[in-house]
Structure formats: structure tokens, C-alpha cells
Amino acid sequence: MSKIGRHAYDKPSVPLFDKVIYIFDELIETPERNRLRDLLDANGGKSILCFNNVQPTLYISETRLYPHSDTPIHSVTPLWIDNAVQNGFVHEYKYYAPHLSNQFLSGIVITVKDLPQEESKRIEALVESYGGQYREELSQDITYLLCKLPTGRIYTQSLEYHIPALLFHWLDDCIRCHERLGISAYQLPFPTTFTPNSLPATLYPYPNMEIPPPMNDSAVLQDHVVFFASDIIMKKEYKKQLKNSIEKAGGRIAPRYTKEITIFIAKYRLNSGIAKAFKDGKIIGNLWWLSNTLNRGYLRSPLSTLLDYPIPDGGIPGMQKLSISITGYKGVVRDYIRRLLVVSGAMLNPTFDENVTHLICGGTQSKKYRLAKERGNVTIINHKWLEECFQQWHIIPCTDERYNHIPENNQVLNNIIGRTHLIESEVERWMKKETCPVYIPDKHMYKIVNDDDKDNLDEDTKGVLIIRKPRKAALRATEVLETVIIPDVNKFENEKKQTSRQGHRHQKKRKGV
């Protein structure tokens, strides 16, 4: 196939779409086709309709190669045209192949700083495998600079060239989610989800209404105004103590939602006020985030860890079919995993019975791990699998080697729990009815209680959190009560009232006689 278009090394006098004779895929809608035609015609391109007995040199499609395989021509997506107009030269056609799947980085050109050569080469291969391009240094077609800190000559040059500088987390999350994500949460110098070299979003115990909230002298909530949504239910005494804690940390509580509100606290993600708070740019967190913040003594985005943000109103589709047990995690991190499992919609199986399908395992030195190995039909993964299922809101295959790594020492995995963050663009989908992800509203009937002092539990079951299910007999009794007894009682009462009315009318007739 011959070369078409003006490339970066060509003279500026060469037309941008030199030797381009184009033909459109009929599946491209008319308005888009007209827009692209105007760009091509204005920059030296020619439509196949202008010629007789001439073969096209460029086929434009969103999904497929030129259908006449005996005619070798370049097939590209519309993005190839848009980027050429923006850059002033065309890119290699292979980066815009319309027939390849998972090309979510197509059109993106990346360079990096602060990395050794070996790591840079790894990123180059990774970027190109998903349709993106890599440059060893800044050039005029660079889309993003990836770096660790907003410092240095290359970072300063990127600002001069108006090239956004992003944290490496952006690329990691794009690859994890298999989609091109927005950049605002990752853009230096002030990323909203991450802060370079910042203190971690440490996890503290889930708020217990029987225990006073933490008091902090660090002024972590200085000048902040906190509003509690209607789905936050607190005991009167705890609410009074929490008010004192907030005021001691420099903040105050507002009785109603106003413009001065800076922090919006809610339990559920579909709370009626969250969409407005999101649109207004408020900090949105839940009660655990507020408690964690008061304990930490510093402010971190509620998106920094999965359960600091209001939770979905139901579970991940398909997760309700999984029966999951946990081993090798202790204390607060065990509490965190159990709560994450419950809000994901899975069935928690603390006793590791014959119904268990998955074991979330923090180390190899446990009875459950040995049993799972012996059974052979239990999927063994670490907590990263559950965290990323929740982050991306779908069940991820367990085959990734990152999920299969189970160290002998369980402290290794215990130390990294809570590092997975929420993705801002994914959270935003919950704010609109038309983009809200599918969820399963009927969760398993659990009662979550803090309970550290049960002596009848073995070491692997004992922990901060116990999740109890109602007994089958109790559930059956409730069902019978609601479907049999109550309707019968109502029917009896109605018949009794009807008989009483008839008797009353009969007595009146007799008096009239």
C-alpha cells in the first residue's frame, strides 16, 4: 500500500491528506460523514465519487476493514482524520485500525518521565498493545505526559506546550477497566483522587454508635460545613458527640442543604441529594469516611478508598450467586473485606461449608486454605479481585495472576488493603438515571454487628465483624405470617365487620316496625 497524507517528517507544503482518495463505510451516519468529508476536502483529500475507474486509498469505518479484501487500501477510524487536522500531520494507520478490539488508547500519544529505561519500554509495549502510541521525548503530537511529580524540566515544558501531565495511575486504571478514562482525577499538579507522596487513606474501625466518635485537634475540618443526608440514621447521643468532634476539628454542621455546604454525607449512592451535591462540586463521603478523616487527622478524597464513598443501593449483577469465605485477614482489614463483600451482593460463607465457591485468602497458613486446596472446586483469590470487581462494577475473571498471588506471610496482603480507589468517571455514571449501572436491589439478609468478644469462635472466624443471617425457620415463619396468617386475619376481620353491619341494619328495621 502506498504512502498517503503528510507525515511528521514531510515538508509543510505537502497537503495534509495528500493522495487520499476516500470512501466511507455505509454504517457511518450522515451527519458524521458530512463532517469528516468537509475536513478531508479542505485539506487535500478527494472523494471516490470524483473519479471514474480509480481505486480508493483510504477506507473510513468505526468497526471493519475495507470489505473488498482483494483491494489493499488503508482502513482507519474517523479519529485518524481528527488527530491529523489537530496535529498538522497524519499518524501511522495501524494505530487506528477499525477492526481490532480493545483499542481504547487509539489516538493517544504518551511519553513518560521519572522511569528507568526498562520500565519505559514495558509501558511502550503496553500502550501500543491497546492502540496507543509512545514517544521517547516531548513532541507536538503528545497527548499526555505521565510522571510521578510536578517537577523538572520536562514537566515545565509540558505546561508550555499545553500537554496535560498525569499520574501513572491513569494508565493503570485505563488498562484495568479496558476503557479510556477521564483525566481530571489524575492531572498534576492537583489530582483530586491522588496526591503525590501524600499520606495514605488509612482505614480505621467502622463507626460504632455505642462508642464516642474520635476527637481530633488537627483542624482537619477547618472552615468546612457538613450536611447529613436523610439516609444517615444516628442515635441522639452519638449525633451530639459527633457534632462536638466536628466542631473541635474546625467544622460545623448545617441543618439544611445550602450553597455554603462543603461536605455532603450520605449512606447510599442513589440518595436524592447526591446528584446535586456532585454537580455542585461538594465533597461526598459517608459516615465511615468522616470517622476515618477524624481519626487520620488529614483530609483525603472519599474516592481514595472504596468504602469511604456512599455505597450502591444493590449488588453487582451475578455476585448474588457466589458464596465467598475469607481467611488470613485480621482486625480492621477483615472488617473492611467483609463489608465490601456484603455491599457487592455476594453471599458471605464464614463457616466454609459445602456451598462455598470462592475463598478470599490473605496467606497460606490457614485451615480454610488447606481445605480449599483439598476440595479442588473452590476458587482461591486475594482481596484485590473483590476490590476491583467493586471498582469496575462487574465480576472480573479470577485468572489474572495479580489475584492468584497468595503469600505464605499474610501480613504482606494485609498491608495493602484499601489501596484500590474509586474511579471518578465511573462514580459519575451513578448520578444520572440514563447512565446508572445495573444493580441487584435484593441483597442477602444480613445483620452486621461489631463483636470482638465471642469466645466460641476459632481464630480464623474471630474478628471485628460478624455477619449473621436469619435462621431458615425464622424466614419461613415470616413468610407464613405475611402470606397466610395476616391475610386470614384480615379476611376474618372484614367478615366480622360485615356481619356486624348486617346485624345493625336488621335491628333498625325491627325498631321501625
Side-chain angles (χ1 to χ4, degrees):
M1 288 181 283
S2 60
K3 169 195 162 189
I4 59 174
R6 181 175 69 226
H7 291 253
Y9 49 78
D10 288 331
K11 294 180 180 179
S13 58
V14 176
L16 179 60
F17 295 122
D18 184 46
K19 299 178 182 177
V20 169
I21 301 174
Y22 62 85
I23 183 172
F24 288 107
D25 182 352
E26 61 186 13
L27 297 178
I28 295 180
E29 295 183 358
T30 301
E32 175 69 354
R33 196 182 307 180
N34 291 338
R35 184 187 72 83
L36 295 170
R37 182 183 291 113
D38 290 343
L39 292 176
L40 289 161
D41 292 349
N43 290 279
K46 302 291 184 183
S47 171
I48 189 65
L49 301 177
C50 299
F51 301 91
N52 292 319
N53 299 322
V54 173
Q55 293 294 334
T57 59
L58 185 73
Y59 179 65
I60 303 152
S61 173
E62 291 280 10
T63 57
R64 57 184 179 175
L65 295 174
Y66 189 53
H68 305 292
S69 57
D70 57 331
T71 306
I73 71 170
H74 300 291
S75 296
V76 298
T77 63
L79 193 58
W80 181 82
I81 298 168
D82 290 326
N83 281 357
V85 172
Q86 180 179 333
N87 297 326
F89 56 85
V90 300
H91 282 148
E92 292 294 328
Y93 324 103
K94 66 179 182 180
Y95 297 113
Y96 299 84
H99 66 297
L100 298 178
S101 60
N102 286 332
Q103 299 296 286
F104 51 86
L105 294 182
S106 178
I108 299 294
V109 184
I110 287 171
T111 190
V112 303
K113 67 180 285 287
D114 305 329
L115 286 183
Q117 185 175 6
E118 183 178 340
E119 184 65 13
S120 298
K121 288 294 182 184
R122 187 189 70 82
I123 287 182
E124 178 181 0
L126 202 58
V127 167
E128 292 192 350
S129 69
Y130 293 110
Q133 300 173 67
Y134 182 87
R135 302 281 186 268
E136 292 186 355
E137 55 187 28
L138 285 178
S139 60
Q140 66 186 92
D141 66 333
I142 294 290
T143 313
Y144 304 129
L145 166 68
L146 302 185
C147 56
K148 296 177 180 178
L149 295 169
T151 57
R153 177 182 59 83
I154 296 177
Y155 174 76
T156 303
Q157 285 182 340
S158 74
L159 296 180
E160 295 172 357
Y161 297 157
H162 304 289
I163 297 171
L166 312 179
L167 292 170
F168 286 97
H169 298 81
W170 176 81
L171 181 60
D172 292 339
D173 289 343
C174 286
I175 292 170
R176 187 178 295 120
C177 297
H178 276 229
E179 64 177 289
R180 179 179 170 181
L181 300 173
I183 65 171
S184 60
Y186 310 86
Q187 188 167 354
L188 294 166
F190 304 114
T192 57
T193 303
F194 308 95
T195 305
N197 292 341
S198 65
L199 295 168
T202 308
L203 299 175
Y204 288 88
Y206 189 82
N208 186 331
M209 297 295 169
E210 307 301 328
I211 301 173
M215 302 291 283
N216 198 298
D217 295 323
S218 64
V220 63
L221 298 178
Q222 187 67 45
D223 300 325
H224 279 290
V225 181
V226 182
F227 174 76
F228 291 96
S230 58
D231 60 4
I232 297 293
I233 308 298
M234 294 181 283
K235 292 183 177 181
K236 186 175 181 181
E237 183 60 27
Y238 184 85
K239 188 173 183 179
K240 180 180 177 181
Q241 294 168 340
L242 184 58
K243 179 176 181 291
N244 292 336
S245 294
I246 290 171
E247 291 175 349
K248 188 172 179 63
R252 61 186 177 89
I253 296 177
R256 62 185 62 86
Y257 188 93
T258 62
K259 289 183 178 180
E260 67 173 352
I261 298 298
T262 60
I263 295 174
F264 186 93
I265 302 296
K267 182 176 182 179
Y268 292 110
R269 202 169 290 181
L270 294 184
N271 179 282
S272 58
I274 278 192
K276 178 171 175 53
F278 190 91
K279 184 179 179 181
D280 292 345
K282 310 301 183 185
I283 297 173
I284 300 173
N286 57 23
L287 205 56
W288 201 355
W289 172 80
L290 184 58
S291 176
N292 278 332
T293 298
L294 291 170
N295 271 303
R296 292 167 188 156
Y298 53 85
L299 205 63
R300 289 302 312 271
S301 167
L303 299 174
S304 297
T305 189
L306 299 176
L307 294 183
D308 270 1
Y309 202 83
I311 61 175
D313 291 48
I316 299 169
M319 192 68 84
Q320 75 277 11
K321 300 176 183 178
L322 306 184
S323 180
I324 303 177
S325 196
I326 304 168
T327 188
Y329 298 92
K330 298 183 183 299
V332 174
V333 296
R334 185 178 182 84
D335 181 5
Y336 173 83
I337 294 173
R338 286 182 170 184
R339 291 180 185 277
L340 185 60
L341 193 154
V342 171
V343 299
S344 296
M347 174 75 75
L348 179 64
N349 191 326
T351 59
F352 201 75
D353 62 23
E354 68 279 1
N355 296 315
V356 71
T357 60
H358 293 66
L359 176 64
I360 296 179
C361 190
T364 60
Q365 304 301 309
S366 76
K367 182 179 179 181
K368 286 183 182 178
Y369 178 79
R370 292 191 294 274
L371 284 173
K373 283 290 189 180
E374 290 172 7
R375 290 187 191 179
N377 63 347
V378 178
T379 301
I380 303 174
I381 63 276
N382 60 41
H383 70 277
K384 289 293 290 180
W385 173 80
L386 179 62
E387 287 187 324
E388 293 185 11
C389 286
F390 185 82
Q391 180 195 53
Q392 300 171 44
W393 203 248
H394 65 90
I395 299 176
I396 300 172
C398 301
T399 52
D400 192 312
E401 62 181 14
R402 293 180 302 117
Y403 309 140
N404 304 139
H405 174 64
I406 312 295
E408 183 175 348
N409 180 2
N410 62 4
Q411 199 58 42
V412 174
L413 291 177
N414 275 254
N415 288 338
I416 63 170
I417 289 177
R419 302 277 183 89
T420 302
H421 61 91
L422 288 170
I423 297 170
E424 188 172 17
S425 58
E426 293 297 303
V427 169
E428 188 173 5
R429 293 171 58 202
W430 292 84
M431 303 303 151
K432 297 178 182 178
K433 187 176 181 179
E434 57 271 21
T435 60
C436 183
V438 176
Y439 63 92
I440 305 301
D442 296 324
K443 293 183 182 177
H444 300 293
M445 297 178 67
Y446 290 114
K447 180 183 179 184
I448 303 177
V449 291
N450 289 319
D451 200 340
D452 287 320
D453 302 318
K454 295 295 180 184
D455 296 327
N456 59 339
L457 302 174
D458 59 40
E459 274 305 308
D460 196 45
T461 309
K462 194 171 182 179
V464 174
L465 177 73
I466 295 176
I467 299 182
R468 297 180 181 140
K469 290 192 300 178
R471 290 175 297 129
K472 289 184 180 179
L475 291 176
R476 177 60 185 156
T478 301
E479 183 183 356
V480 170
L481 181 67
E482 292 177 348
T483 60
V484 179
I485 298 176
I486 291 178
D488 282 352
V489 170
N490 290 339
K491 184 178 179 181
F492 172 75
E493 290 292 336
N494 288 333
E495 290 175 350
K496 185 178 178 182
K497 289 177 182 177
Q498 188 174 1
T499 302
S500 176
R501 285 196 295 270
Q502 289 174 349
H504 184 62
R505 284 197 297 269
H506 182 66
Q507 287 181 0
K508 287 178 70 176
K509 283 182 180 180
R510 291 188 64 182
K511 287 180 181 179
V513 173

